[in-house]
Amino acid sequence: AQAICGFRCPSLAQRTLLVCNSAHLTPGSSFSFSFPKMATSHVQNRSRSPRRNGGLAPGVNPRETATNLKPHHVSTWKTDETGLVPERELNKVQNPMAAEWPELNFLNPDELVMGQIIMNDSKGASRAPALKQGCVRGNACKDIYWDPKQVKAAIVTCGGLCPGLNSIIREVTASLWHQYGVQDIVGIQGGYNGLSNPEEYVPVPLNIDVVREIHHKGGSILKAGRGGFDAPKICDTLKKMGINMLFTVGGDGTQGAAHKLYEEARKRDLKVSIVGVPKSIDNDILYFDKTFGFDTAVASASEIIRNAWVEATSCHKGVGIVKLMGRDAGFVAMNAALASTIVDMVLIPEVPVTMPDILEHVDDTLKEQNFMVIAVAEGAGQEFVSTGKKDATGHTIYGDIGTHLRDSINSHLKPSGGRSFYIDPSYIIRSCPIRPNDHIYCTRLARDAVHTAMRGYTGVVVGPIHNIIVVMPSHLVAAGKRRVSVKSSAWQSCVQTCNMPSSLTGLQRKTG
């Protein structure tokens, strides 16, 4: 081990395996060891010990697991079988990269990233059963399903803006163009509207010259849009345009719609690989470590929190309030507070609070240091500002907790001479260009989305589990929203960093 790694590993037998049975071991790549009775690897190759539905936890439906991909491959989607796709038998086209770059490392098609990797896990009962059998890796394989010469691909960006949309468009186009030689690529304008009504939302031809520099600006060159989904109409459009590969970039709603589109195509036996790239500035996509744009949002939010801190510290009893994105999950507010380390209170949707407890903490903090900074997620405290209304897409219209908090604190502090400074940077954050590290992450997601599509998968989404990109059936990802757990180490670190009282944390101390 020391010779391969260059460092000593004193208790190697106790460490988790990272990669088992990779197709090749190249310099700088992960390596594997074999130890008796070790079954905690991040990635395993099950090709020599195939399992049908055996080994499932009691009560787990084999159709609701991440490894059930036979319904999600265009060569097996009409069967009623479950389990892993035998890609070695079905994918007969040689990946053009294998011919051009014979020394490249390619995945075994049945490499699995294990979802549950912690031994003696204190949170084992709460882990997602869908991940228990692992997830198929979403990278390049030596053999693929689609002949690149016969591929016409389309990219659609749905929902609201998010940093990184142009990066995804750029890298999907670049991967198709350079790695597979696919040059028939179109961008769909206005979200699903452009697929339901292409006469009004005219598709845009994409090539390397069009996308070369688009990642340097925010937004989407394809004009992301909401609504417009109509599965039968979209299938008609795909067939008419000859599109057999569609990349859907959007959140859980977009991916839920993509699953319905996959079902309609499956019913018609319209062979099209539909692969989603999950987008959420709130980082609330189920199962995956994080979504693209999230790191950029946290970085931008941290800078704005510093502005609120400057205002608060430059005033007698000043309170800086920053409202951040997070309709149903408080990841942006929590991580921005951790990154800035100058926040005294974080309010997130997952933790119900009372106004008396908020004002008490304001008084205690001002008494101690004469200023205060608050980060509040837009979905927090909706019990104070609920509108009872829904928009045209069925989403709840949230009340403005930021202005409510501002007005309540101003009224509370007026007798003592204090005041608040309120900043709402939401549209500034979502429209800003992607940060460098986030762009690199977009590159990984986009390329692995292309590799996954070329392998013949459909009705799936790609994303990271333990920082390895995997393939997940889209209906699993669209089944709900990921939320901050008050028992997570991140939230508990945030509580301690901000020195918040238990009444504002969801971790109330037991009394009596």
Side-chain angles (χ1 to χ4, degrees):
Q2 186 176 356
I4 298 173
C5 299
F7 62 85
R8 295 185 64 191
C9 188
S11 55
L12 195 57
Q14 300 176 8
R15 297 191 180 272
T16 300
L17 307 184
L18 289 180
V19 178
C20 295
N21 301 325
S22 288
H24 298 89
L25 184 62
T26 57
S29 65
S30 302
F31 58 93
S32 63
F33 299 91
S34 297
F35 296 105
K37 298 181 180 179
M38 290 292 287
T40 55
S41 47
H42 274 82
V43 181
Q44 295 184 354
N45 181 319
R46 304 290 179 84
S47 60
R48 291 176 176 80
S49 56
R51 59 207 303 172
R52 297 183 186 273
N53 295 329
L56 284 172
V60 176
N61 183 347
R63 296 183 183 278
E64 298 301 316
T65 63
T67 52
N68 184 32
L69 291 175
K70 279 189 176 178
H72 296 277
H73 192 279
V74 290
S75 64
T76 55
W77 66 347
K78 297 295 284 186
T79 70
D80 196 39
E81 297 178 0
T82 61
L84 295 174
V85 176
E87 290 187 51
R88 289 185 178 90
E89 300 172 15
L90 301 174
N91 291 356
K92 299 300 185 181
V93 178
Q94 185 186 43
N95 191 323
M97 289 189 292
E100 186 173 358
W101 302 91
E103 297 302 315
L104 281 181
N105 180 67
F106 293 92
L107 298 184
N108 288 318
D110 51 5
E111 288 187 32
L112 298 178
V113 178
M114 303 312 295
Q116 301 177 17
I117 62 171
I118 301 175
M119 300 178 68
N120 307 316
D121 187 1
S122 63
K123 302 176 184 175
S126 65
R127 303 298 183 190
L131 305 184
K132 190 171 181 63
Q133 305 307 307
C135 307
V136 170
R137 291 188 72 181
N139 208 313
C141 291
K142 187 170 290 186
D143 296 311
I144 56 179
Y145 176 84
W146 291 102
D147 181 349
K149 297 185 182 67
Q150 299 176 359
V151 169
K152 180 174 182 178
I155 309 167
V156 60
T157 57
C158 305
L161 294 185
C162 174
L165 285 171
N166 282 335
S167 292
I168 296 293
I169 296 167
R170 182 188 193 276
E171 299 307 326
V172 166
T173 302
S175 180
L176 287 166
W177 193 282
H178 290 306
Q179 296 180 310
Y180 290 97
V182 176
Q183 298 187 4
D184 198 352
I185 311 167
V186 295
I188 304 300
Q189 297 200 76
Y192 283 127
N193 296 286
L195 287 168
S196 297
N197 187 5
E199 291 77 18
E200 181 176 349
Y201 301 87
V202 180
V204 178
L206 296 177
N207 57 50
I208 295 304
D209 292 332
V210 170
V211 303
R212 189 182 308 279
E213 298 174 355
I214 62 174
H215 59 301
H216 291 303
K217 66 176 184 177
S220 168
I221 65 166
L222 300 180
K223 300 176 177 62
R226 302 184 189 277
F229 181 78
D230 186 317
K233 281 187 177 181
I234 292 175
C235 278
D236 290 343
T237 299
L238 295 177
K239 183 176 181 179
K240 182 179 179 180
M241 295 182 64
I243 293 169
N244 52 16
M245 198 168 286
L246 175 65
F247 299 93
T248 58
V249 187
D252 60 296
T254 298
Q255 306 311 334
H259 176 72
K260 294 178 181 177
L261 181 60
Y262 144 79
E263 289 183 321
E264 178 69 19
R266 182 186 181 190
K267 182 174 69 175
R268 300 186 183 197
D269 201 20
L270 177 65
K271 290 193 174 182
V272 53
S273 281
I274 302 169
V275 177
V277 180
K279 177 214 72 175
S280 171
I281 201 169
D282 297 347
N283 199 37
D284 60 0
I285 300 294
L286 281 178
Y287 301 111
F288 296 138
D289 299 343
K290 68 176 180 179
T291 49
F292 74 85
F294 173 68
D295 284 349
T296 297
V298 169
S300 299
S302 301
E303 295 170 358
I304 293 165
I305 284 172
R306 187 167 62 244
N307 298 136
W309 173 80
V310 170
E311 293 284 359
T313 56
S314 302
C315 173
H316 176 64
K317 293 186 177 181
V319 179
I321 304 170
V322 180
K323 187 178 79 170
L324 299 170
M325 288 191 162
R327 284 178 53 87
D328 301 295
F331 290 103
V332 173
M334 177 182 71
N335 282 272
L338 286 169
S340 63
T341 69
I342 52 176
V343 176
D344 303 291
M345 179 163 61
V346 178
L347 301 178
I348 60 175
E350 294 85 348
V351 178
V353 295
T354 68
M355 193 56 67
D357 287 335
I358 291 173
L359 297 177
E360 181 180 357
H361 185 44
V362 170
D363 289 338
D364 291 344
T365 304
L366 292 178
K367 182 178 179 180
E368 180 180 344
Q369 62 186 30
N370 201 41
F371 68 89
M372 184 180 191
V373 177
I374 301 172
V376 55
E378 62 182 312
Q382 287 302 302
E383 59 270 26
F384 307 133
V385 293
S386 175
T387 67
K389 300 177 182 178
K390 293 185 180 295
D391 63 18
T393 61
H395 292 99
T396 300
I397 298 175
Y398 283 4
D400 194 336
I401 183 60
T403 56
H404 177 80
L405 197 61
R406 175 199 65 194
D407 295 342
S408 298
I409 290 175
N410 280 341
S411 297
H412 179 71
L413 294 180
K414 188 174 181 179
S416 61
R419 61 159 297 186
S420 69
F421 300 87
Y422 176 60
I423 304 175
D424 180 357
S426 299
Y427 287 94
I428 295 173
I429 291 175
R430 77 174 203 162
S431 62
C432 68
I434 197 82
R435 301 292 177 105
N437 281 346
D438 222 348
H439 173 73
I440 293 172
Y441 177 51
C442 288
T443 300
R444 290 181 61 203
L445 283 173
R447 289 180 179 175
D448 285 354
V450 172
H451 299 321
T452 298
M454 295 301 299
R455 288 164 63 183
Y457 286 102
T458 185
V460 297
V461 179
V462 296
I465 292 179
H466 314 309
N467 200 33
I468 302 171
I469 307 298
V470 302
V471 182
M472 288 277 290
S474 52
H475 74 277
L476 294 180
V477 173
K481 290 185 180 291
R482 179 170 171 245
R483 308 189 79 205
V484 174
S485 169
V486 297
K487 296 296 183 68
S488 67
S489 58
W491 176 246
Q492 293 178 16
S493 295
C494 182
V495 167
Q496 294 167 2
T497 298
C498 299
N499 196 26
M500 291 194 290
S502 60
S503 60
L504 301 176
T505 65
L507 298 165
Q508 286 83 354
R509 294 186 182 93
K510 188 175 181 179
T511 59

